[in-house]
Amino acid sequence: MKATAAKPLPHPMEDLIRMDRIPHIWCSGCGTGSVFMACLSAIKESGIPYNEFSMVSGIGCSGRGAGYINVDSFHTTHGRAIPFATGIKMAKPDLNVIVFSGDGDLFAIGGNHFIHAARRNMDITVICVNNLIYGMTGGQVAATTPHKAKSSTTAAGNPETPFNLPLLAYASGATFVARWTMLHSRDIADAVQMALNNKGFSFIEVLSPCPINYGRRNKEKALETLRLYHDNTIIKSNADLSELDIDFKRGVVLGNFINKEKPSHDEQYSKIYHAEAG
Amino acid sequence: MTRKAIKKDETMVFWRDPLDSDDIHVTRGVVHIIEERCKGCGYCIAYCPRKVLERSKDFNSNGYHPPTVKSEECLDCCYCQLLCPEFAIFTVEAT
Ligand SMILES: Cc1ncc(C[n+]2csc(CCOP(=O)(O)OP(=O)(O)O)c2C)c(N)n1
Ligand code: SF4
Ligand code: SF4
Ligand code: SF4
Ligand SMILES: [Mg+2]
């Protein structure tokens, strides 16, 4: 049988990408680009005009996301994506504000901002590319690095226990909580759409390989990490959130766990402070 | 991009051919590869549900081996397009 290879046309997502910045910095085998792509496809499929979106990132490899998307976006200082996003949302409540950032950025230096934005039910969507490590700076241990995993600062294994991010998000007050892997592109896109529809704080954790700074030290090539995502995950949206620790031997639980209604920060705020205007 | 849903489970091999498979119209896709943009991660090759792609023997100017199309079985499911971290591969419905 003769194979069909066609002449290159423009990629259908190019209208949403700042093509003058491509190729991006992400390494071969890095999953961040796949998460980014799933997120772009959700934005495209939502049918919402692009000028009604804003993306905010902090610092890190995944934090480059804001610099590559072709909507109004902010590449902020390390850990501060959520406060910037909060400011944008307060000033322009009609915008769909998406935070696209890393586990280190959102949960180590930025951890306090995360819990307070969730507590306020700030109407923003936070997508965390969780590669279990500080990728950009050379693979230092993160608040998400699994117990016993090797990093450049825990050469003999991590003595600490990582966060269970969906549980943390829920306990802090998030009203939409999901976890997928970068292999679950459709599910990520669906979760992003659900998050955009949720009037409140939405959190999507996406597991993603960093073959350079996590995989290399833990003897896991990118395609081996993807195999774990395929073979050792369980989709269970009604899971008990306290059982969501990341342990691929036991099976990592994925799903859209929480989707509930609660007045958002802007609703509560305008009820009290803009009452006469409404 | 239009939604041509492929559920996770379909990324595995098809266990049997449906009895009426001859009567059913199957959407076909044409694969487009932007070779210069590829970083050779192999995601698209490993996860295409129809094993349409293989690693090219040629390499691009960065030294990466892009995928190449080896069969006409593309379903236009767009999974390679969604998974590719480099925006280097996409499909369009065959006419
Ligand atoms: C105030 C401040 N402290 C530390 C750093 C160094 N730094 C840059 S990125 C980063 C961690 C990034 O990790 P993560 O958010 O998980 O992103 P990844 O690179 O893994 O995608 C750190 C500590 C910085 N840029 N600014
Ligand atoms: S260092 Fe890791 S997270 Fe950063 S681009 Fe490379 S693979 Fe991705
Ligand atoms: S669209 Fe891509 S993943 Fe789907 S069958 Fe065709 S080549 Fe394979
Ligand atoms: S997924 Fe993209 S970057 Fe990776 S091998 Fe395929 S075309 Fe190349
Ligand atoms: Mg990280």
Side-chain angles (χ1 to χ4, degrees):
Chain A
M1 202 187 289
K2 206 182 146 284
T4 311
K7 258 219 263 115
L9 289 172
H11 189 285
M13 220 47 93
E14 287 190 11
D15 59 337
L16 259 179
I17 302 167
R18 296 187 200 210
M19 292 310 296
D20 55 328
R21 297 194 168 199
I22 301 301
H24 54 56
I25 63 154
W26 299 319
C27 308
S28 170
C30 178
T32 310
S34 307
V35 186
F36 187 64
M37 184 67 186
C39 180
L40 295 187
S41 76
I43 291 175
K44 187 158 230 178
E45 283 171 7
S46 74
I48 301 169
Y50 294 165
N51 63 3
E52 292 174 22
F53 284 96
S54 176
M55 185 179 272
V56 189
S57 297
I59 302 294
C61 298
S62 34
R64 292 296 177 110
Y68 297 130
I69 191 171
N70 197 17
V71 302
D72 284 345
S73 60
F74 295 85
H75 189 191
T76 70
T77 46
H78 193 30
R80 315 300 172 212
I82 288 177
F84 270 77
T86 297
I88 294 170
K89 190 71 195 177
M90 294 289 285
K92 294 230 175 229
D94 293 336
L95 279 183
N96 294 289
V97 183
I98 300 176
V99 170
F100 186 96
S101 217
D103 50 313
D105 186 74
L106 290 167
F107 292 100
I109 188 168
N112 245 36
H113 299 303
F114 182 90
I115 58 174
H116 289 286
R119 174 180 61 78
R120 296 177 174 125
N121 201 24
M122 188 55 67
D123 184 16
I124 61 176
T125 294
V126 177
I127 300 169
C128 174
V129 178
N130 186 2
N131 52 17
L132 313 174
I133 203 87
Y134 291 180
M136 176 164 269
T137 43
Q140 294 82 358
V141 72
T144 45
T145 306
H147 180 55
K148 292 190 180 157
K150 292 194 170 116
S151 72
S152 63
T153 46
T154 57
N158 180 17
E160 300 179 3
T161 305
F163 275 137
N164 167 343
L165 297 181
L167 178 64
L168 175 70
Y170 177 66
S172 309
T175 42
F176 179 83
V177 180
R179 174 198 276 157
W180 295 102
T181 82
M182 47 62 74
L183 207 51
H184 297 80
S185 319
R186 292 285 182 209
D187 301 285
I188 303 168
D190 289 345
V192 172
Q193 296 234 31
M194 284 188 241
L196 292 171
N197 288 332
N198 174 38
K199 279 212 65 67
F201 189 87
S202 302
F203 173 60
I204 305 169
E205 174 185 16
V206 186
L207 298 173
S208 174
C210 167
I212 304 303
N213 280 320
Y214 183 86
R216 199 161 42 93
R217 289 189 180 85
N218 291 287
K219 310 237 174 317
E220 226 179 83
K221 297 210 166 87
L223 283 170
E224 291 166 355
T225 311
L226 266 57
R227 178 153 278 277
L228 291 177
Y229 293 168
H230 188 273
D231 294 348
N232 297 16
T233 51
I234 304 153
I235 298 176
K236 192 177 169 200
S237 285
N238 63 354
D240 176 350
L241 293 183
S242 68
E243 289 169 7
L244 293 193
D245 297 308
I246 293 178
D247 177 356
F248 282 102
K249 287 199 188 84
R250 216 181 56 200
V252 171
V253 181
L254 310 175
N256 298 314
F257 307 115
I258 303 290
N259 194 359
K260 65 173 191 186
E261 298 218 352
K262 198 171 101 182
S264 69
H265 181 273
D266 15 295
E267 281 170 59
Q268 302 277 60
Y269 188 88
S270 47
K271 226 186 248 166
I272 298 175
Y273 289 95
H274 299 153
E276 56 284 26
Chain B
M1 183 179 60
T2 53
R3 170 156 295 226
K4 294 152 217 157
I6 179 156
K7 284 282 169 249
K8 171 179 180 275
D9 296 340
E10 289 171 43
T11 62
M12 291 181 286
V13 289
F14 293 87
W15 297 108
R16 61 171 186 87
D17 280 331
L19 296 174
D20 57 355
S21 62
D22 292 343
D23 307 331
I24 306 284
H25 171 75
V26 184
T27 310
R28 291 284 176 215
V30 180
V31 185
H32 294 257
I33 298 160
I34 305 166
E35 294 177 356
E36 269 308 296
R37 234 182 251 168
C38 172
K39 286 186 194 157
C41 65
Y43 290 0
C44 58
I45 301 171
Y47 286 92
C48 166
R50 281 298 172 107
K51 303 278 169 252
V52 167
L53 306 167
E54 66 183 350
R55 191 169 178 267
S56 171
K57 286 185 186 65
D58 299 332
F59 46 83
N60 63 21
S61 61
N62 290 317
Y64 293 114
H65 294 271
T68 176
V69 177
K70 69 170 176 191
S71 89
E72 298 281 356
E73 297 293 300
C74 173
L75 293 171
D76 199 25
C77 70
C78 292
Y79 191 48
C80 52
Q81 175 179 327
L82 274 171
L83 202 55
C84 174
E86 302 292 332
F87 331 112
I89 187 168
F90 63 97
T91 58
V92 291
E93 197 174 333
T95 44

